[in-house]
Amino acid sequence: MPVYTLPELPYDYSALAPVISPEIIELHHDKHHAAYVKGANDTLEQLAEARDKESWGAVNGLEKNLAFHLSGHILHSIYWQNMTGDGGGEPLAADGVGELADAIAESFGSFAGFKAQLSKAAATTQGSGWGVLAYEPLSGRLIVEQVYDHQGNVGQGATPILVFDAWEHAFYLQYRNQKVDFIEAMWAVVNWQDVARRYAAAKSRTDVLLLAP
Ligand code: MN
């Protein structure tokens, strides 16, 4: 039994068009995301084998692979849920996502400031990476992270609640080298209901990091 499994898309391949083409969604989910799931499962097996044989020569590389594939699986699982063909705009109290709207305003000064920061963080990734909105439990604030690959440059303990994939496979077939245009278009498919749900859940499980001695 594999530990990790590929989640089904919550919509069909064409649901996010014209922002993201069906061809990109199909390849991205069925090939790229699937490869991270397989990679995480394979690496866990290789680590089990290393323990059985007490053969630790490859442990450094295996731990790196685990971080890469597992983080890829987690971020993509969030990514699909973060998007909807009925999305976009900004979170509003009238839509039942007022707590998220308030948290963004408190943490970034304004929605416009937050949007600009996340857009820039995603668009200026060097090589492969992500722009991520995360809940940081020590401060109780939202922060933006610019993630390298899937796992680098993150603050420990922060929970991603809105993720923009800035790897070339996320946009190149449609946007070619215009990463800035892709990131700008992404805002039209953000599912604020899903982001708000993740914000509430992240806030409610902070005690694990705040344990008193
Ligand atoms: Mn991706």
Side-chain angles (χ1 to χ4, degrees):
M1 275 291 285
V3 175
Y4 302 107
T5 53
L6 181 67
E8 282 190 24
L9 283 174
Y11 32 69
D12 63 40
Y13 296 135
S14 61
L16 304 176
V19 172
I20 308 177
S21 71
E23 186 186 21
I24 288 178
I25 297 292
E26 182 173 0
L27 278 170
H28 199 169
H29 176 268
D30 295 8
K31 302 297 182 191
H32 291 275
H33 188 170
Y36 304 132
V37 172
K38 182 176 188 308
N41 287 324
D42 288 352
T43 307
L44 285 182
E45 268 180 36
Q46 289 157 10
L47 282 163
E49 213 176 288
R51 289 193 299 275
D52 286 348
K53 295 178 179 167
E54 295 185 42
S55 167
W56 298 110
V59 68
N60 179 280
L62 289 172
E63 297 293 359
K64 282 183 182 169
N65 286 345
L66 183 62
F68 176 83
H69 291 296
L70 176 56
S71 300
H73 174 38
I74 289 170
L75 286 175
H76 285 89
S77 298
I78 298 169
Y79 182 62
W80 309 124
Q81 302 283 337
N82 274 169
M83 297 186 287
T84 170
D86 300 321
E90 53 180 283
L92 297 170
D95 299 327
V97 293
E99 262 191 54
L100 173 67
D102 290 346
I104 287 173
E106 280 163 27
S107 299
F108 299 98
S110 66
F111 181 79
F114 152 67
K115 183 179 175 183
Q117 186 178 339
L118 180 54
S119 291
K120 286 290 180 192
T124 62
T125 52
Q126 294 175 326
S128 301
W130 298 69
V132 170
L133 173 67
Y135 178 73
E136 196 290 289
L138 283 184
S139 64
R141 293 167 63 91
L142 294 167
I143 58 171
V144 164
E145 299 178 316
Q146 185 183 63
V147 178
Y148 298 159
D149 289 338
H150 305 303
Q151 75 279 27
N153 213 30
V154 296
Q156 297 287 349
T159 303
I161 63 170
L162 173 62
V163 300
F164 281 14
D165 194 336
W167 283 55
E168 284 189 346
H169 67 227
F171 65 91
Y172 207 85
L173 287 173
Q174 185 178 352
Y175 292 84
R176 309 300 291 267
N177 59 328
Q178 303 300 313
K179 183 155 68 170
V180 169
D181 292 349
F182 168 63
I183 299 300
E184 182 55 36
M186 274 293 301
W187 291 99
V189 292
V190 173
N191 183 344
W192 291 113
Q193 302 290 336
D194 181 66
V195 181
R197 184 174 67 86
R198 291 176 187 282
Y199 172 66
K203 252 182 95 167
S204 72
R205 63 171 181 85
T206 59
D207 53 327
V208 69
L209 278 182
L210 302 174
L211 288 176

